[in-house]
Each structure stands twice: as structure tokens, then as C-alpha cells.
Amino acid sequence: MRKLIASLLLVFLVGVKSSAGISHVETVAGGFELLALQKPEPKHVDYLNSVKITFLSWISGSTKVSYERAFSNIRQSGEFCTSLIGAGRDKYENNPKGYTLRYGHKFFMNENQKKSLMGFYLRPEVVYSHYTYDCKADGSRTLADETAILGTFGYQYVHKRFLADFWVGGGYAFGTPAETYYHHGFELWHFFNSVNTNIALSFSIRLGYCF
């Protein structure tokens, strides 16, 4: 009987010790789990700069590159774009050679957006287009020199470092128009059997990289 009682007591003590060990392990594991739950999430990165190309500009006769910078603490940005006319497919087969310069100031409409370069916007801008081309009438080199003051409405989407910019707009133009009415940044009104070289239209898509 004494041996039986001693054996049972030994089993009980071993069980208690084992349970204590398991509890200790569970406590440690629980601590690690709590620390994992309390680990702070990675901080959101808000990129303020982007470099973009104008999508499909090459097939209309030019290559356009732009740089945009968002201003800290306000929902605005400035954007400068330049293009080399002639660096692309000769859409009108008139051998254009020249350049455009363009500046736009964006006013983003969504104040709660966490990404400075993302959202719907209004953008006043000025565009200067200067190039020469072969005139269809007599084949002589002819100058096209136009300035447009535009108002555009658009939406800019940002996913991580990728950016897509879509817009449409119009405004007032003046200068020396091209016979095609196309100025590699805007187009003069020549629709529905009517022409008005003081009305400029602009619409396009830009794709870019944020940093």
C-alpha cells in the first residue's frame, strides 16, 4: 500500500511539474502573439514628385515628357511639360520640326486624399507651340506659332509608384495657326464645317512614375 501511495504521489508531482512547464510555454507564446499584434504598421509613403510621358503622343508626331511637383500641406501641384515635335510618327505627313512648352497648376478637389498627387483636379495652364512644316499647297516650309490659355478638368490615379493622368479641356488660342490646326498639345476648332482658330481643345493621357 505504501508503495502504491508513493507511486501515485510521484505521478501527481510529475504531472504538476509538466503542467507548470506547459503553462510557462503558453505564457511566453501568448506574449509573442501580443507583441505581434502590437507591432506598428508600415508608415504610408506619400510621394510628392512624378515624371510622366504623354501616352500615344508618339503616334501624333511628338515625344512629350513632364515633371510634376506637389506642394506640401496644400492640395496643389505645379507641372511642366516639354515636347520635341518631329520625334514620332508623322501623322499628317508634313515633316514637322519644333517644340512645345507647357505649364499647368493643379488644384485638387478632394481635401481628404492621403496621396498628394491623386484625385480630381482643375488645372489652368498655358501652352506655347512653335514648329515648321511642309505646306501642302506649295511645299514650302511654313511656320506655326501658337499660344493657348486653357482650363482643364481631370483625374489623376496613383498606385504605389505608378501614376495615370486623364484630362479634357479647352480655352483661348492666338498666333499663327498650322494648316492642319494641330499644334502638338492642343487642337484648334475645325469641326462641323466650321473653323475658329481662337478656340483650343486639349485632351490626353499621361503615364508616370512617382518618387
Side-chain angles (χ1 to χ4, degrees):
M1 179 64 70
R2 290 180 180 179
K3 290 182 178 181
L4 178 59
I5 293 174
S7 298
L8 292 173
L9 181 60
L10 181 62
V11 171
F12 173 77
L13 291 174
V14 171
V16 170
K17 186 175 181 180
S18 299
S19 298
I22 293 172
S23 299
H24 177 69
V25 171
E26 290 176 349
T27 302
V28 172
F32 280 120
E33 184 178 353
L34 181 60
L35 288 174
L37 291 174
Q38 293 177 344
K39 184 179 179 181
E41 295 182 357
K43 187 178 180 181
H44 169 71
V45 179
D46 183 18
Y47 299 107
L48 300 180
N49 303 278
S50 71
V51 175
K52 295 177 275 188
I53 60 171
T54 302
F55 188 55
L56 298 179
S57 68
W58 185 86
I59 67 172
S60 60
S62 66
T63 297
K64 299 182 177 72
V65 179
S66 64
Y67 168 74
E68 182 177 3
R69 167 72 182 183
F71 303 114
S72 301
N73 303 320
I74 58 174
R75 296 286 289 147
Q76 297 178 28
S77 71
E79 183 173 26
F80 176 77
C81 177
T82 185
S83 75
L84 183 61
I85 299 173
R89 175 179 170 272
D90 191 355
K91 177 180 178 180
Y92 294 102
E93 299 181 349
N94 59 1
N95 190 29
K97 301 292 180 183
Y99 62 89
T100 63
L101 299 174
R102 184 175 195 145
Y103 177 78
H105 196 92
K106 288 181 178 177
F107 296 87
F108 289 94
M109 301 167 67
N110 186 351
E111 294 293 338
N112 298 321
Q113 185 59 249
K114 293 182 179 179
K115 298 178 181 179
S116 296
L117 291 172
M118 182 169 171
F120 288 98
Y121 63 82
L122 296 174
R123 177 182 58 192
E125 59 183 336
V126 59
V127 189
Y128 176 65
S129 172
H130 178 95
Y131 72 98
T132 60
Y133 63 95
D134 295 335
C135 180
K136 294 284 186 182
D138 57 13
S140 63
R141 285 306 276 182
T142 306
L143 174 67
D145 188 87
E146 280 277 328
T147 299
I149 301 172
L150 305 173
T152 57
F153 170 76
Y155 179 75
Q156 190 156 262
Y157 174 76
V158 176
H159 177 69
K160 296 182 179 179
R161 289 183 180 269
F162 171 78
L163 179 149
D165 187 5
F166 314 84
W167 80 88
V168 62
Y172 178 76
F174 57 93
T176 305
E179 65 180 4
T180 61
Y181 306 109
Y182 182 66
H183 287 269
H184 300 273
F186 59 91
E187 192 161 3
L188 303 179
W189 183 273
H190 61 289
F191 306 103
F192 308 111
N193 297 318
S194 65
V195 174
N196 189 330
T197 58
N198 291 129
I199 298 177
L201 303 175
S202 177
F203 50 91
S204 196
I205 301 172
R206 288 177 182 153
L207 303 178
Y209 175 81
C210 300
F211 61 97

